[in-house]
Amino acid sequence: MVKFLPLKQAVAENLNDGDSVAFEGFTHLIPTAAAHEAIRQGFRDLTLIRMTPDLIYDQMIGMGMAKKIVFSYVGNPGVGLLRRARDAIENGFPRTIEVEEHSHAGMANAYEAGAAGLPCAVFRGYRGAGLATVNPNIKSVTCPFTGEELAAVPSIRPDVTFIHAQKADKKGNVLVEGIIGIQKEAVLAAKRAVVTVEEVVDNFDDLHPNLTVLPRWTIAAISVVPGGSHPSYAHGYYARDNAAYLEWDEIAADRGKFQAWMQANVIEKNAGDFAARVDHLRKAA
Amino acid sequence: MSEFGFTPNEIMTIAASRALRNDDVCFVGIGAPSAACNVARLTHAPDITLIYESGTIGTAPDVLPLSIGDGELCETAVTTVAVPEMFRYWLQGGRISIGFLGAAQLDKFGNINTTVIGDYVHPKTRLPGGGGAPEIATSSKEIYITMAQTKRGMVETIDFFTSFGHGEGGDHRQRLGIDTAGPTLLVTDLAIWKPDPVTKEFTVVSLHPGVTRQQVQESCGWVVKFAEALDETPAPSELELNTLRDLQARTKAAHEGTGKAKAA
């Protein structure tokens, strides 16, 4: 049953060296505070799974925590490349990493299959695409009814999934709204799930019945971390900090600058620092 | 700014926007495609349905999104769906009329590379990869492509097939069991290109004002074919130019945090 825990404890109880882990959030509700806590606790040999690795995986890869990445778009959305991930792939710095690359459709279907308890996902994909020739986990199956050849990828079943969401109620049910991305599937596909939320409310009685709610018994731990998805955003709470995404490109371009930034903004900080980072963005939301 | 009162990038975006119709359902890539689609929406195609892969359907942003998931897209959308639904029902289900893509490398058959420069395992440059593009390229009814011409970008052989265009040309798509039309339009900063009906090789059908055949060839890595009846792309109208410039000014202010993001 779900436990309300300080983030430090929630991460320590649910993440282990060598785990396969998904920090999901499709441009919205990215669990940055949880990722920073994982960085502070110094986990090693992780398999990092995420459709759009974004800044948090650039940071974890740059800190040498990743053994392997499973992804479908290794860019800084709208800005350019992820420079720490590039350095690892091109130069093996700070360590070599294994790469398993898919398309968004492939990853989305694989998470959905994981949530559905299936061994693999079947969809019409990768036709003529080079990824099918470099990723042995992209295979094909023949439809037993029509004979059509379809793509098959193994389902994604992370040891643990981290997401950020708007609200939990006092019982520990979690509400996600806005761009809901792949979070529900990533939680239901995982052995354990940890959710950071903007706030806890008494109940969800005044919500309409079709919102995305993850029942409390699907979640291992909830931590209240206002601002916990900065520099991404939380619909209804604060806006995306686009300037921070642009700045990241410069910080991550230089190994020394990156280390100094991580020391000052992650290692020497804690989850409580996130609230202040979104103060100026709340007015714009 | 050229002597014509608009830049090559502006005529590219505007020429691309003109190809979009009011009843199109368009899966929009970030960057130049996003600018072109929103100029179309703000000028001649007010009812066009714009879809971004974050799940926002029928969105009408006031500023261009920096990423495919900016809050603006969700706030102005008709509805927002989960990512698996986006790819399964809406794209794979055949609901998209135009997939609008950019490219890092492009060949003459409309095959796109956004994955690596050099070898896949030991790349010279690791690019972001495909994201939604591999399936957008095969499941959308047609593909439009827009990019600025350079010899490094428009190449005889791309280093990696991120998104399949017409393959080796001719009926290669059909031979792979792909029943959509594939790339039907390429708009660059110099010209408008369409595939030859038989070979599927991109052929220049219209030069932008003041552009010569030689300029097109000099910034392209393959031997360029020109249509017999070559048109000149109409210059941007005042409305088109003002719409694009206003949109880009609002966007720049917002993304630098000097506008909406840090207002009040």
Side-chain angles (χ1 to χ4, degrees):
Chain A
M1 198 52 78
V2 66
K3 294 192 272 190
F4 283 90
L5 294 174
L7 183 60
K8 192 172 177 180
Q9 197 180 341
V11 171
E13 281 187 13
N14 287 285
L15 187 60
N16 305 293
D17 286 342
D19 273 354
S20 66
V21 54
F23 290 79
E24 275 296 356
F26 203 83
T27 65
H28 173 223
L29 295 173
I30 292 172
T32 313
H36 283 189
E37 186 54 43
I39 292 168
R40 279 191 290 276
Q41 295 187 23
F43 293 96
R44 282 292 177 269
D45 295 326
L46 300 175
T47 293
L48 297 176
I49 306 165
R50 186 173 155 83
M51 293 184 69
T52 54
D54 203 82
L55 274 46
I56 55 173
Y57 279 10
D58 212 30
Q59 292 164 358
M60 293 169 102
I61 291 165
M63 297 299 276
M65 297 164 69
K67 173 181 71 176
K68 177 178 178 182
I69 54 170
V70 182
F71 68 95
S72 44
Y73 184 85
V74 64
N76 178 349
V79 177
L81 309 166
L82 286 180
R83 296 178 184 278
R84 291 299 89 223
R86 260 186 82 179
D87 207 7
I89 295 169
E90 293 173 14
N91 308 311
F93 182 89
R95 59 172 288 184
T96 55
I97 52 171
E98 277 179 69
V99 163
E100 181 176 336
E101 182 168 6
H102 288 276
S103 65
H104 280 347
M107 292 279 289
N109 278 282
Y111 270 121
E112 197 184 44
L118 289 168
C120 72
V122 173
F123 65 110
R124 192 179 289 125
Y126 294 120
R127 288 182 171 172
L131 278 178
T133 65
V134 295
N135 180 350
N137 268 342
I138 299 170
K139 296 186 187 298
S140 64
V141 295
T142 305
C143 170
F145 305 104
T146 63
E148 183 178 358
E149 193 178 305
L150 298 162
V153 293
S155 60
I156 295 174
R157 312 291 299 266
D159 291 311
V160 53
T161 287
F162 290 88
I163 66 164
H164 186 75
Q166 277 99 346
K167 291 180 176 73
D169 68 14
K170 282 187 168 165
K171 290 179 179 170
N173 301 300
V174 165
L175 171 77
V176 192
E177 55 183 339
I179 290 175
I180 53 176
I182 195 71
Q183 285 97 305
K184 182 177 180 176
E185 292 76 13
V187 163
L188 297 182
K191 294 185 187 124
R192 305 179 293 280
V194 176
V195 185
T196 54
V197 295
E198 288 295 323
E199 64 173 334
V200 176
V201 296
D202 285 343
N203 56 61
F204 292 160
D205 289 353
D206 57 345
L207 301 178
H208 79 76
N210 294 105
L211 288 168
T212 301
V213 172
L214 288 158
R216 65 185 192 277
W217 45 271
T218 63
I219 296 161
I222 295 172
S223 302
V224 183
V225 186
S229 70
H230 179 267
S232 82
Y233 70 105
H235 192 103
Y237 287 80
Y238 47 90
R240 192 174 194 266
D241 193 345
N242 278 324
Y245 279 87
L246 295 167
E247 281 161 20
W248 182 251
D249 196 46
E250 265 183 55
I251 295 159
D254 180 88
R255 291 174 183 175
K257 201 183 260 186
F258 165 76
Q259 277 296 341
W261 191 93
M262 292 300 290
Q263 186 64 32
N265 294 282
V266 181
I267 305 297
E268 291 169 11
K269 299 287 180 185
N270 63 63
D273 291 317
F274 274 84
R277 293 178 189 173
V278 300
D279 257 356
H280 70 288
L281 300 162
R282 287 187 186 279
K283 292 157 193 150
Chain B
M1 189 76 54
S2 77
E3 64 198 279
F4 297 95
F6 52 85
T7 67
N9 195 60
E10 286 172 338
I11 182 79
M12 173 174 77
T13 305
I14 287 164
S17 80
R18 289 173 184 154
L20 294 159
R21 299 156 296 228
N22 199 38
D23 60 353
D24 271 328
V25 177
C26 188
F27 210 112
V28 185
I30 283 293
S34 180
C37 289
N38 281 289
V39 168
R41 179 178 61 80
L42 294 167
T43 55
H44 67 278
D47 301 319
I48 190 169
T49 298
L50 302 185
I51 296 183
Y52 289 73
E53 65 194 10
S54 55
T56 52
I57 296 178
T59 186
D62 183 48
V63 300
L64 294 173
L66 182 67
S67 85
I68 44 85
D70 280 24
E72 177 97 6
L73 293 174
C74 180
E75 281 155 23
T76 58
V78 171
T79 186
T80 299
V81 301
V83 167
E85 179 178 326
M86 185 81 261
F87 285 98
R88 288 177 72 82
Y89 302 173
W90 300 89
L91 180 61
Q92 185 180 258
R95 300 271 174 187
I96 311 297
S97 65
I98 307 286
F100 207 138
L101 300 172
Q105 268 187 343
L106 178 79
D107 72 15
K108 62 185 170 190
F109 294 117
N111 302 301
I112 291 173
N113 172 25
T114 56
T115 303
V116 288
I117 304 298
D119 175 63
Y120 181 76
V121 179
H122 302 289
K124 205 181 300 171
T125 306
R126 176 65 228 199
L127 303 171
E135 282 76 28
I136 293 172
T138 50
S139 288
S140 306
K141 287 178 183 138
E142 291 178 60
I143 297 301
Y144 290 176
I145 301 166
T146 184
M147 69 185 291
Q149 286 197 212
T150 63
K151 270 205 156 146
R152 279 172 53 193
M154 297 174 75
V155 295
E156 187 69 43
T157 309
I158 57 174
D159 291 355
F160 193 86
F161 269 61
T162 307
S163 310
F164 191 80
H166 295 290
E168 296 164 358
D171 64 350
H172 198 175
R173 281 178 81 85
Q174 290 89 321
R175 281 189 277 127
L176 290 182
I178 304 167
D179 58 8
T180 51
T184 56
L185 178 73
L186 165 65
V187 181
T188 69
D189 50 343
L190 301 179
I192 298 173
W193 310 55
K194 289 192 176 166
D196 178 275
V198 178
T199 67
K200 303 296 181 189
E201 177 175 340
F202 270 128
T203 305
V204 175
V205 297
S206 179
L207 293 171
H208 299 336
V211 173
T212 65
R213 290 176 186 232
Q214 194 185 347
Q215 275 177 285
V216 175
Q217 181 60 73
E218 279 170 356
S219 52
C220 180
W222 65 78
V223 178
V224 178
K225 291 217 165 85
F226 294 89
E228 279 177 28
L230 204 53
D231 289 330
E232 178 175 301
T233 312
S237 70
E238 203 172 322
L239 172 69
E240 287 169 328
L241 259 188
N242 289 342
T243 302
L244 175 61
R245 287 174 182 171
D246 287 351
L247 183 63
Q248 286 180 331
R250 288 198 299 273
T251 299
K252 189 163 183 283
H255 292 175
E256 283 174 350
T258 54
K260 196 178 171 191
K262 290 196 178 160

